[in-house]
């Protein structure tokens, strides 16, 4: 079945049926339903790829979760779905706790959170030589 996800992977990550870059692939995941579904679909795609191509190995999947510190117990609630997938599949999980320092920042909360999240993702990419 040709899905949007498989089309994206085929056009951006594969070349002649093989992954262009075998470095780990980093996915940012909020723990919300859409992120969990996307992660689950990506894991399923990689599993099917390995079954069809037993001699080829897809990149290791990495997940970064960023706790913005805006909601009490957010990490314990948001991480449930990610941790359930981690138990079933071989994925690396990195949790980043962000200091938004809102009182000293004149930008909107959303802009500060986005900037800090992107910085955290970039740090994980560089530290682990990943593709994002």
């Amino acid at each position: 079945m040709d899905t949007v996800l498989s089309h994206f992977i085929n056009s951006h990550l594969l070349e002649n049926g093989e992954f262009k870059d075998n470095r780990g692939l980093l996915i940012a995941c909020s723990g919300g339903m859409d992120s969990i579904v996307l992660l689950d679909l990506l894991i399923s795609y990689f599993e099917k790829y390995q079954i069809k191509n037993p001699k080829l190995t897809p990149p290791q999947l990495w997940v970064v979760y960023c706790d913005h510190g805006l909601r009490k117990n957010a990490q314990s609630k948001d991480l449930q779905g990610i941790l359930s997938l981690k138990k079933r599949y071989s994925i690396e999980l990195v949790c980043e706790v962000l200091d938004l320092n809102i009182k000293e920042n004149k930008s909107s909360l959303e802009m500060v959170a986005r900037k800090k999240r992107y910085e955290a993702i970039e740090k994980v990419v560089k530290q682990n030589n990943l593709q994002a």
Side-chain angles (χ1 to χ4, degrees):
M1 175 166 52
D2 194 29
T3 64
V4 173
L5 180 62
S6 64
H7 176 73
F8 176 84
I9 291 171
N10 290 331
S11 60
H12 295 302
L13 300 178
L14 297 178
E15 187 174 286
N16 300 322
E18 293 185 28
F19 280 87
K20 295 178 192 177
D21 189 341
N22 227 25
R23 290 179 300 155
L25 179 64
L26 181 68
I27 307 297
C29 189
S30 68
M33 182 62 74
D34 54 346
S35 290
I36 296 298
V37 169
L38 177 60
L39 180 59
D40 193 37
L41 287 170
L42 192 55
I43 290 167
S44 296
Y45 181 92
F46 276 35
E47 286 181 328
K48 289 175 187 170
Y49 177 86
Q50 272 195 291
I51 291 169
K52 288 181 182 177
N53 305 286
K55 293 183 181 180
L56 301 175
T57 305
Q60 172 68 42
L61 281 176
W62 287 66
V63 174
V64 64
Y65 166 78
C66 296
D67 181 356
H68 299 88
L70 298 174
R71 293 180 290 127
K72 188 176 181 179
N73 300 322
Q75 222 181 78
S76 62
K77 292 176 184 174
D78 293 343
L79 282 175
Q80 288 177 2
I82 300 170
L83 291 173
S84 70
L85 289 173
K86 184 175 176 10
K87 286 179 188 174
R88 294 190 332 223
Y89 306 106
S90 176
I91 59 175
E92 296 290 333
L93 174 62
V94 178
C95 296
E96 292 286 324
V97 178
L98 307 180
D99 179 11
L100 300 184
N101 209 3
I102 297 167
K103 293 176 183 164
E104 295 179 18
N105 204 310
K106 298 188 188 317
S107 299
S108 74
L109 175 62
E110 284 183 8
M111 287 180 66
V112 172
R114 184 179 307 114
K115 182 178 185 282
K116 294 289 186 175
R117 187 170 53 250
Y118 289 171
E119 289 172 358
I121 292 167
E122 186 63 31
K123 179 182 96 177
V124 173
V125 166
K126 286 181 180 176
Q127 285 178 341
N128 298 285
N129 191 30
L130 305 172
Q131 49 183 326

